[in-house]
Amino acid sequence: MDLRDLTYFDTIAELGHLGRAAQKLNRSQPALTKSIQRLEESFGTKLFEREGRGIKLTAVGELLQRRSRQLQQNIAETHREVRDFASGVLGNIRLGCAASMAEHLLPQMTATLLERAPDITLNLVIGQDDLLRESLRSGRLDMVICPMFEGDPHLSHHTLFEDRAVVVASRDHPIFATPMRLRDLCAYRWVLPGTRVSARRWIDNVFQSHELPLPSVQIETNTISLLPRLIAKTGLLSFLARETLDDFKGIAHLREVPLAQTCMRRSIVVLVRAEGYLSPAAQALLDLLKSDGRQFFTAGDAL
């Protein structure tokens, strides 16, 4: 089995069309057809079947696609490991951090890391936790700092600290005019992250578990830094880490909605691939987070 055939197979499977795959790979269609034939002869079974004008994977093809991606990820990590070992350098870190805590955690953490290892390089990716976890699983990131909601057999985690997320509104919002219940939140509109984000799923589940309509989302955004200003200016409800609320410079314009049902206690963790390679730099950062993770967040709160 040729690794190039697996690379071609993965592209064909992703696009579901031989012609588009040939164009993307800069190869002829007959060459790709022969590549697939070699794989099918090697495994003794069909990997694709026709679907309209395109093609789709058979059940065996889907299994091979999963294994192929794992193999290519292992090869890429082996290249990084050998290159780091041969060059003798500390290496590079590809770090993802959930947007809800990046401003609090990263400045002091990065400063401490660079004091200890001034020659490392960092690629920082700030985003929503669902996309960060997917990038970690696929090997595009070395580690991710984010809330922990469900386990993943392919990832291992270390808890850094506990925090809380709460419903917030502008200080003069009518929700504060009278004693409130959870069902009263259904009368107002919200600004929230997308439905794949763990915090959004949690708040949706709170309403579902109480047999209430889901929050009426008027604005959906993946930019956490916008939320405090949107809440203050629009009168929409939202859901934020309490530390974000405490640190926001316009705190005088925002206020927590004090309902026990909507106060979410969560663990903030650092995630790595269970069997993945960590460069010396990434391992150094992981050790630093394990020993001082909470301290960095506290230092950020004090700024």
Side-chain angles (χ1 to χ4, degrees):
M1 182 173 58
D2 193 314
L3 289 176
R4 286 180 299 178
D5 288 341
L6 279 179
T7 301
Y8 297 159
F9 162 80
D10 196 48
T11 301
I12 297 167
E14 179 184 353
L15 297 176
H17 193 279
L18 204 58
R20 289 196 290 269
Q23 185 176 15
K24 181 175 181 178
L25 293 166
N26 197 28
R27 304 287 293 176
S28 68
Q29 288 193 44
L32 295 187
T33 298
K34 289 180 180 179
S35 175
I36 296 303
Q37 289 173 347
R38 285 193 295 269
L39 287 174
E40 290 179 338
E41 290 172 3
S42 174
F43 292 108
T45 186
K46 288 288 186 182
L47 300 174
F48 291 96
E49 58 189 9
R50 292 208 168 273
E51 182 181 55
R53 296 184 178 181
I55 55 176
K56 69 174 184 178
L57 292 169
T58 62
V60 175
E62 291 176 353
L63 173 61
L64 179 60
Q65 184 185 41
R66 292 194 296 272
R67 295 293 184 264
S68 172
R69 289 179 175 176
Q70 291 173 1
L71 177 60
Q72 291 181 60
Q73 181 175 313
N74 290 339
I75 291 172
E77 291 188 344
T78 300
H79 277 299
R80 288 190 71 209
E81 185 172 7
V82 171
R83 186 171 61 247
D84 287 343
F85 184 83
S87 63
V89 299
L90 188 59
N92 172 259
I93 306 171
R94 302 170 302 170
L95 172 65
C97 186
S100 59
M101 61 201 63
E103 292 184 12
H104 305 283
L105 181 64
L106 292 183
Q108 185 59 45
M109 183 208 75
T110 303
T112 302
L113 179 64
L114 293 179
E115 285 177 4
R116 298 187 183 186
D119 294 328
I120 69 163
T121 58
L122 276 169
N123 297 107
L124 295 176
V125 178
I126 311 302
Q128 299 288 10
D129 52 72
D130 58 326
L131 298 178
L132 293 176
R133 286 195 298 267
E134 178 56 36
S135 293
L136 178 61
R137 282 190 290 264
S138 66
R140 296 191 298 273
L141 292 174
D142 297 315
M143 64 181 67
V144 166
I145 301 170
C146 68
M148 182 71 177
F149 285 93
E150 65 274 334
D152 187 321
H154 302 294
L155 304 177
S156 61
H157 74 275
H158 176 82
T159 300
L160 302 178
F161 51 87
E162 305 292 324
D163 84 339
R164 297 182 182 184
V166 295
V167 174
V168 297
S170 58
R171 182 159 289 276
D172 57 355
H173 196 284
I175 190 72
F176 299 113
T178 58
M180 67 191 76
R181 301 166 299 169
L182 180 62
R183 67 173 58 255
D184 296 328
L185 303 186
C186 299
Y188 303 99
R189 295 185 178 182
W190 295 65
V191 49
L192 289 171
T195 54
R196 294 184 59 192
V197 175
S198 50
R200 168 70 179 277
R201 295 201 304 269
W202 188 90
I203 193 69
D204 282 352
N205 287 337
V206 168
F207 283 77
Q208 285 182 322
S209 65
H210 288 81
E211 299 183 349
L212 295 171
L214 295 182
S216 176
V217 179
Q218 187 161 31
I219 300 177
E220 190 171 278
T221 178
N222 62 356
T223 307
I224 297 295
S225 60
L226 275 178
L227 287 180
R229 292 168 180 83
L230 283 173
I231 300 163
K233 295 292 186 181
T234 63
L236 300 174
L237 301 179
S238 193
F239 195 59
L240 290 176
R242 186 172 278 164
E243 285 82 357
T244 300
L245 181 66
D246 293 342
D247 192 53
F248 179 55
K249 293 179 181 178
I251 184 61
H253 302 295
L254 298 180
R255 183 176 171 187
E256 177 182 339
V257 177
L259 285 172
Q261 301 100 314
T262 57
C263 179
M264 177 179 66
R265 292 173 174 84
R266 58 186 183 177
S267 297
I268 305 303
V269 301
V270 54
L271 296 170
V272 296
R273 289 185 301 282
E275 303 297 332
Y277 165 68
L278 286 180
S279 69
Q283 185 61 56
L285 175 57
L286 182 60
D287 294 340
L288 182 64
L289 287 168
K290 286 181 177 180
S291 62
D292 295 320
R294 176 70 218 186
Q295 170 191 322
F296 300 137
F297 200 87
T298 303
D301 289 346
L303 294 177

